[in-house]
Every structure is written in structure tokens, then in C-alpha cells.
């Protein structure tokens, strides 16, 4: 798998690099570890600031090899750094891990972004769990985004506690949770209850909750959480009403189905797939703006 990723990333890069850039990067990918690591740091001096533009086919192939992994909106330097790390000789585990740790210990912000972006393509994934969970606590937004959004590493390796912290911080920071890989698969009751408490605090402060939040609650609806759905159905926001309809529809809790039946138009739209969670995937959330 890692060999396939390496080849596809190079295909993405080579199509967008100049001849001199490609020659420099290719040589560094075949260099000894210390020279490769130096190239990782020096990449901005040799590569232009351009945005990666993968083809539709390349995006499909990348997702087939490593589901959830995306280079969308990456710069050439970021992708080149990740590619260089995928070239690092990994036969000697101790030496390999020492090299990666050195890069982490000395990295500036953009280098950290590349390192966290590269976690899905690094060898010995269990070795980077502490680094990954530490990134969730980062106050640097771009570093947090690199581990939380469009990155399949957390869903594969985080404990439930660490996973819930990642999701909650994404929500607290007003970021779109639908970019979290494995969001639905790793939904859990503890997270659902915490999100309900969070919603009550927001409502008490006259603020809104992003409608996508409720997709994480639908599997765990009970008598207590059903009252949240009733609140959403009565909200003046159509997006709140739609979130309630979707949550009830996807729940196995019979009272939720009965509640949805009281709103036949919404029930019909959900039933005929004219309303899905995709329709509530917003980038600009502004949930800290008070309701008017």
C-alpha cells in the first residue's frame, strides 16, 4: 500500500513541477536519510508556492488506496514533504523512528502540518499515536486541521476518549465535522451525551449548534435525547428541523420514528433521499453568532 501511495504522490507532483524542481526532488527522494531530512526542511527554497490540482481519476485512485486520505488544497511544498517521508528507508525501525522524531522535535509550523498530514503514509503507525493526540491539543489551527480533517489516521488509531476530544474540539472551533474521516463509524454514546450537554449550553446562551452535530446522536436516541429532537423540530431554523428529521429517520428508537411522523413533509423528503446529511454540510458555520 505504501509503495502505491508513494508512486501516486509522485505522479501528482511530477505533473505540476518544473523540470528543475522535479530533478531536485527526485534526487532527494533517493538520497541518504540525513540528506532527505535536510530536503524536507529546505523544500520551500527549491519549490514554488503552487496549489496541488489532482485530476478526478487521481483523487479516486488515492481514496481507493487509502480511504479518506486527501491532498485537496495542499501546496506543492506540503505534498513534496509528505512524498519525501514516504521515501524514507524503513527497514531499521529504530533508525527510521529516530529520523521522524527528529523532524517533529525541530519542526516549525508548516513542517508540523506536513508531518501530521503524512501520518497515514508513515511506517509503524502505532509509534506516532502520542504525537497525533498531542496535535489535537495544538493551538495552531493549521496543525489541528492537519490531524483532524481529511486525515484517516485518527479513526484507525485513536482511543474512544482521544477520538471524542478530536470531534469535540472540531465542533468547539466551528470547523466542519464532515471532513473528519470515519465520523459516522466511530460515533459513540459517550460522545452523543456530551454533545447533548453542549447543545443545551449553547441554547441557554442564545446560540446555535451546527446541524451536522446531530448525525452523531441519531444512533443513540433515547427518552432524554428525544427531547433535543423535539426542541429542534420547534426551532425557527429549517436546518435544525432537517437535522431532527434525519436523526429520527436514522434511529432505531421507535418513539423517534413516531415523532418524525408528526412532520410529514420532512419525513417524505428524508424517505425519498431529497434530504440527506450531505445537504447540511456547511463550511461557514458561524455558530457563535447569537440567534436573532
Amino acid at each position: 500500500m505504501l509503495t502505491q501511495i508513494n508512486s501516486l504522490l509522485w505522479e501528482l507532483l511530477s505533473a505540476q513541477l518544473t523540470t528543475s524542481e522535479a530533478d531536485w526532488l527526485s534526487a532527494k527522494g533517493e538520497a541518504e536519510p540525513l540528506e532527505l531530512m535536510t530536503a524536507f526542511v529546505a523544500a520551500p527554497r527549491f519549490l514554488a508556492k503552487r496549489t496541488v490540482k489532482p485530476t478526478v481519476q487521481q483523487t479516486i485512485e488515492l481514496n481507493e488506496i487509502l480511504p479518506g486520505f486527501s491532498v485537496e488544497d495542499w501546496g506543492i511544498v506540503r505534498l513534496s514533504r509528505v512524498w519525501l517521508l514516504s521515501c524514507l528507508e524503513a527497514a531499521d525501525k529504530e533508525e527510521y523512528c529516530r529520523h521522524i522524531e527528529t523532524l517533529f522535535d525541530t519542526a516549525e509550523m508548516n513542517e508540523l502540518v506536513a508531518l501530521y498530514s503524512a501520518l497515514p503514509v508513515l511506517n509503524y503507525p502505532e509509534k506516532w499515536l502520542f504525537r497525533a493526540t498531542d496535535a489535537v491539543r495544538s493551538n495552531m489551527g493549521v496543525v489541528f486541521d492537519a490531524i483532524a480533517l481529511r486525515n484517516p489516521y485518527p479513526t484507525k488509531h485513536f482511543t474512544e476518549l482521544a477520538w471524542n476530544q478530536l470531534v469535540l474540539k472540531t465542533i468547539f472551533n466551528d470547523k466542519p465535522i464532515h471532513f473528519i474521516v470515519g465520523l459516522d463509524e466511530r460515533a459513540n454514546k459517550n460522545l452523543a451525551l456530551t454533545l447533548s450537554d453542549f447543545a443545551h449550553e449553547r441554547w441557554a446562551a442564545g446560540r446555535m449548534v451546527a446541524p451536522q452535530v446531530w448525525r452523531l446522536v441519531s444512533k443513540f436516541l433515547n427518552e432524554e435525547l428525544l427531547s433535543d429532537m423535539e426542541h429542534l423540530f420547534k426551532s425557527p431554523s429549517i436546518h435544525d428541523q432537517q437535522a431532527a428529521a434525519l436523526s429520527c429517520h436514522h434511529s432505531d428508537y421507535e418513539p423517534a420514528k413516531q415523532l418524525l411522523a408528526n412532520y410529514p413533509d420532512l419525513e417524505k423528503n428524508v424517505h425519498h433521499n431529497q434530504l440527506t446529511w450531505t445537504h447540511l454540510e456547511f463550511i461557514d458555520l458561524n455558530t457563535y453568532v447569537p440567534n436573532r
Side-chain angles (χ1 to χ4, degrees), residues 9 12 24-25 42-43 50-51 70-71 86 95 120 127 132-133 157 183-184 222 224 228 235 251 261 286:
L9 294 184
L12 283 164
W24 177 83
L25 188 60
R50 295 190 299 273
T51 301
S70 172
V71 299
S86 75
E95 182 179 2
K127 292 289 293 183
T133 54
H157 302 287
L183 185 67
D184 295 320
N222 53 24
E224 178 183 356
D228 292 342
S235 168
S251 173
N286 295 318

Side-chain angles (χ1 to χ4, degrees), residues 224-286:
E224 178 183 356
L225 293 174
L226 195 63
S227 65
D228 292 342
M229 299 300 106
E230 294 170 346
H231 179 95
L232 292 171
F233 275 124
K234 295 174 183 177
S235 168
S237 167
I238 184 59
H239 298 135
D240 282 348
Q241 298 168 27
Q242 291 171 337
L246 286 164
S247 296
C248 291
H249 174 77
H250 291 292
S251 173
D252 293 328
Y253 186 53
E254 186 57 33
K257 304 288 189 184
Q258 296 171 3
L259 177 61
L260 177 57
N262 295 329
Y263 303 89
D265 290 341
L266 287 168
E267 183 181 37
K268 178 182 177 181
N269 287 339
V270 175
H271 181 73
H272 292 290
N273 289 320
Q274 294 173 339
L275 173 62
T276 68
W277 286 117
T278 301
H279 291 100
L280 298 180
E281 292 180 354
F282 305 127
I283 306 300
D284 186 14
L285 301 178
N286 295 318

Side-chain angles (χ1 to χ4, degrees), residues 115-255:
L115 283 162
Y116 287 118
S117 300
L119 289 183
V121 305
L122 293 183
N123 287 275
Y124 314 112
E126 73 285 350
K127 292 289 293 183
W128 319 118
L129 185 56
F130 172 78
R131 294 285 188 180
T133 54
D134 189 56
V136 174
R137 295 186 288 273
S138 175
N139 291 323
M140 294 182 283
V142 291
V143 172
F144 175 78
D145 290 356
I147 189 63
L149 309 181
R150 298 192 176 106
N151 190 330
Y153 183 91
T155 191
K156 289 184 178 181
H157 302 287
F158 275 22
T159 63
E160 181 178 290
L161 178 60
W163 174 261
N164 289 354
Q165 289 174 338
L166 180 148
V167 174
L168 289 169
K169 186 169 181 180
T170 304
I171 294 168
F172 294 159
N173 288 348
D174 231 9
K175 297 179 182 291
I177 63 171
H178 60 276
F179 288 149
I180 300 177
V181 179
L183 185 67
D184 295 320
E185 292 80 0
R186 294 213 54 180
N188 59 82
K189 185 176 181 179
N190 287 329
L191 180 58
L193 294 175
T194 302
L195 289 173
S196 176
D197 291 340
F198 163 75
H200 287 206
E201 293 174 1
R202 281 289 185 88
W203 293 336
R207 305 189 189 282
M208 63 175 290
V209 177
Q212 277 278 326
V213 164
W214 301 105
R215 72 189 293 174
L216 302 175
V217 174
S218 62
K219 294 179 182 178
F220 310 97
L221 287 183
N222 53 24
E223 183 177 358
E224 178 183 356
L225 293 174
L226 195 63
S227 65
D228 292 342
M229 299 300 106
E230 294 170 346
H231 179 95
L232 292 171
F233 275 124
K234 295 174 183 177
S235 168
S237 167
I238 184 59
H239 298 135
D240 282 348
Q241 298 168 27
Q242 291 171 337
L246 286 164
S247 296
C248 291
H249 174 77
H250 291 292
S251 173
D252 293 328
Y253 186 53
E254 186 57 33

